[in-house]
Amino acid sequence: QVQLQESGPGLVKPSQTLSLTCTVSGGSITTDYYYWSWLRQPPGKGLEWMGSIGSSGSPDYSRSLKRRTSISRDTSKNQFTLQLSSVTPEDTGVYYCARGRGPRTWTYRGQGTQVTVSS
C-alpha cells in the first residue's frame, strides 16, 4: 500500500517561500494514471486542493494559487515537492500530500504537516 510522508519547516516568515517535500513509498510517482497532489487545511476551514503533478511530470495548479505555486518531482528519490512563494499568515495550516486517479482527486494522503507563517 502506498504511503506518503510530508517534510519541511514548520515555521516560515511572511514574504518567504514555503518548501515541502513528499516522500512516497510502496509505489512509484511515475506509474501511469496517478496524480500526486498537495492539499492544505487552514484552521477552522476545509481541505483545499493546491495543485498536482501527473505521472508524466506535468503540473496543474489551483487557479487561486497558480501565481505563487510550483510543484516538481525527483523521480530518483520518488519525491515531489511544493513551493509556495510570498507567504502570508493566511497560508498557515496543515499541508498534505496525496495520491489520486485524477488531477484534482485523492484516495490516499499523508498524515500532514503543520506550517505556521509568522514573524
Side-chain angles (χ1 to χ4, degrees):
Q1 183 169 330
V2 66
Q3 293 185 326
L4 303 98
Q5 179 65 57
E6 306 88 352
S7 61
L11 180 64
V12 183
K13 293 184 178 181
S15 81
Q16 292 187 340
T17 296
L18 180 165
S19 294
L20 297 174
T21 296
C22 182
T23 300
V24 179
S25 59
S28 171
I29 62 173
T30 60
T31 299
D32 288 343
Y33 311 122
Y34 285 123
Y35 292 81
W36 306 88
S37 293
W38 285 98
L39 320 170
R40 69 179 183 178
Q41 187 166 23
K45 298 184 179 180
L47 271 174
E48 176 186 18
W49 177 81
M50 302 179 67
S52 65
I53 188 165
S55 56
S56 66
S58 298
D60 181 26
Y61 303 110
S62 163
R63 182 177 299 179
S64 63
L65 295 171
K66 186 174 184 177
R67 288 190 300 172
R68 299 195 292 132
T69 307
S70 178
I71 297 175
S72 60
R73 67 180 186 175
D74 185 336
T75 57
S76 67
K77 296 181 179 178
N78 216 35
Q79 295 175 332
F80 61 106
T81 62
L82 168 73
Q83 290 193 314
L84 182 67
S85 63
S86 305
V87 297
T88 72
E90 291 185 347
D91 293 311
T92 293
V94 180
Y95 284 71
Y96 301 90
C97 58
R99 187 191 81 172
R101 283 283 190 173
R104 303 190 180 205
T105 65
W106 55 93
T107 304
Y108 296 101
R109 63 177 181 178
Q111 292 184 331
T113 186
Q114 172 69 44
V115 175
T116 300
V117 179
S118 175
S119 56

